[in-house]
Amino acid sequence: MNFFVILHMKLNSFSESIIRVQKLFDYITMKTALITILLLVISNVFMTFAWYGHLRLSNAGISKNWPLVVVILLSWGVALLEYCFMIPANKMGFRDNGGPFTLFQLKIIQEVITLTVFTIIAMLCFQGQKFQWNHAASYLCLVAAVVFAFLPNK
């Protein structure tokens, strides 16, 4: 074999290795993004219950006569669980820490997840609440915000 044939074979092998490494990197990035989003969803379930769960307890007659300070402490306890998922999600997902998202992208994702989780919980736990056309329109605006947040910076 002549030198150029060997060089060509080595370059092909090297480029295939680079492609495999890129695919592995893409897989890890996608996995990190999905874990980040999953942690944000779990966090927002706790956040929604911390913020609005006491209203459901009051409607059910469980906490109707509780002092405000007890309701606040209960909500803080639930919010602590929220932070146990939110902080790792932001730490893992932030681009400067090796994650796939910029700070603004993380915030936009979190807001969409917050409203989605809130809507599901409100519809399940607060039967009197109705999802109306203007709510859907505002959610579409948030989806547009996500699209704009992920557009390439040029």
Side-chain angles (χ1 to χ4, degrees), residues 59-122:
N59 285 348
I62 296 170
S63 66
K64 197 170 206 92
N65 298 319
W66 290 4
L68 182 58
V69 69
V70 172
V71 174
I72 291 170
L73 291 174
L74 175 68
S75 293
W76 277 358
V78 176
L80 175 63
L81 295 172
E82 172 207 348
Y83 278 85
C84 289
F85 291 95
M86 177 68 74
I87 301 303
N90 286 330
K91 189 167 179 63
M92 175 188 296
F94 185 43
R95 183 169 288 157
D96 288 1
N97 290 339
F101 303 117
T102 67
L103 187 63
F104 289 101
Q105 289 170 339
L106 271 172
K107 183 59 180 170
I108 295 291
I109 291 168
Q110 188 270 337
E111 291 301 329
V112 171
I113 290 171
T114 296
L115 283 175
T116 303
V117 168
F118 170 80
T119 300
I120 292 168
I121 290 174

Side-chain angles (χ1 to χ4, degrees), residues 17-88:
S17 296
I18 289 175
I19 290 170
R20 274 187 249 127
V21 168
Q22 182 62 43
K23 285 182 180 180
L24 178 63
F25 179 74
D26 291 345
Y27 171 76
I28 290 169
T29 301
M30 179 61 74
K31 186 177 174 183
T32 302
L34 291 175
I35 291 171
T36 299
I37 291 169
L38 177 65
L39 290 172
L40 288 172
V41 168
I42 294 168
S43 162
N44 276 280
V45 169
F46 285 114
M47 180 189 75
T48 301
F49 281 113
W51 286 11
Y52 304 104
H54 64 89
L55 299 174
R56 181 68 181 119
L57 291 175
S58 181
N59 285 348
I62 296 170
S63 66
K64 197 170 206 92
N65 298 319
W66 290 4
L68 182 58
V69 69
V70 172
V71 174
I72 291 170
L73 291 174
L74 175 68
S75 293
W76 277 358
V78 176
L80 175 63
L81 295 172
E82 172 207 348
Y83 278 85
C84 289
F85 291 95
M86 177 68 74
I87 301 303

